[in-house]
Amino acid sequence: MKSIDWKNLLFEYKDTGKYLKVEFRDNAWQDIEVCTDPYLNIHIAATCLHYGQSVFEGLKAFTRKDGSIAIFRPDQNAKRMIASAERLVMKAPPVDLFIKACTEAIKLNSHFVPPYGTGASMYIRPLLIGSGPRIGVQPSDTYTFIVLVMPVGPYYKNGFFPVKAYVQEQYDRAAPKGVGHIKAAGNYAAGMLGDKDGKSKGYPICLYLDAATHTLVDEFGTSNFLGITNDQHYVTPDSSSILPSVTNKSLQTISADFGLVVEKRPIRLSELDNFTEIGACGTAAVITPVSSVTHGDKIYRFGKENEAGKTLTRLYNEIQGIQYGDIEDRHGWMQEVL
């Protein structure tokens, strides 16, 4: 295997040579298959292609300080995939099968798990698609569950470093009572044009508002919104059209550990003036500090342009410390693989 520059990895696809696949057919999950061909043989009338029956997850495994390899909260991702599948009338793998497939995929590709101290991790991408043929809007009776893994670096080139955000009002990310609260593949396609528009204006990340009134903060294009008020309150939106982030949930728990008041509630856009720190949080980036949010002619600013705030820094160091084994896993979030 060609030597990998672990410390300079990008967040991008890398073929590790092996992935796992499990078929649901005849009303039962079949045995796990080890696959090496990165191309699928799929029916031209598969429901994932025609009717969008496609959901996925994202989670990470880490080499810890003691040399062991562990996954961060895989049970939460398994449960979220089940919720996503139920919304799109799909058949999801049960929690134990989901975790087993993730664990086995890591073991098969363990030489691609970045070493401790490199700041990199192994990204795990479970994918569930409707693979049976249907012409006429109806759910498939056959599903394919896939788990692929790859070593990754930071989602943004500069890692834990502030970025500028842009309020995207020309396009909505998700509708109330729609599918914004699940990890449907189509949600991300729907957000690409808005994100592209924001990047063309010089903003790495877009902030979306609620589709009904355009007055409430929903989430960023890639991750959940969180705000800090004077190092005392951790505030995140309560909305039926945003994805329940495992990272956000974990940060809320850590914030409570630190003595912060955790608020999950509707956040008016005008409230941005009340926050001292803003962040985007999710599996890929963990926390991305946001130095400013531009809304039309108004610019909301948070702390220093080139320096993350102290509360976000503390939260970031804590969750990463737990993941890499530098800090006690007091909530039992890490599931050991090797």
Side-chain angles (χ1 to χ4, degrees), residues 260-279:
L260 274 71
V261 176
V262 176
E263 298 181 33
K264 186 177 180 183
R265 60 172 176 78
I267 302 172
R268 300 190 69 82
L269 179 62
S270 58
E271 285 188 66
L272 291 186
D273 275 327
N274 300 334
F275 293 108
T276 51
E277 299 177 51
I278 292 290

Side-chain angles (χ1 to χ4, degrees), residues 83-99:
S84 295
E86 287 177 349
R87 179 61 178 84
L88 296 188
V89 200
M90 303 172 70
K91 183 66 178 182
V95 172
D96 58 345
L97 177 56
F98 181 101
I99 295 177

Side-chain angles (χ1 to χ4, degrees), residues 106-137:
I106 294 168
K107 289 179 178 178
L108 282 171
N109 299 281
S110 60
H111 49 295
F112 281 102
V113 182
Y116 171 80
T118 60
S121 57
M122 172 165 273
Y123 183 71
I124 309 162
R125 169 57 62 84
L127 170 68
L128 178 68
I129 58 174
S131 46
R134 288 281 194 266
I135 293 297
V137 181

Side-chain angles (χ1 to χ4, degrees), residues 3 10-11 27 42 44 49 100 132 146 153 162 165 181 190 202 237 252 292:
S3 178
L10 301 176
F11 193 93
N27 209 34
I42 191 167
I44 59 173
L49 301 176
K100 181 180 180 181
I146 295 166
H181 64 294
Q252 290 174 45
S292 67

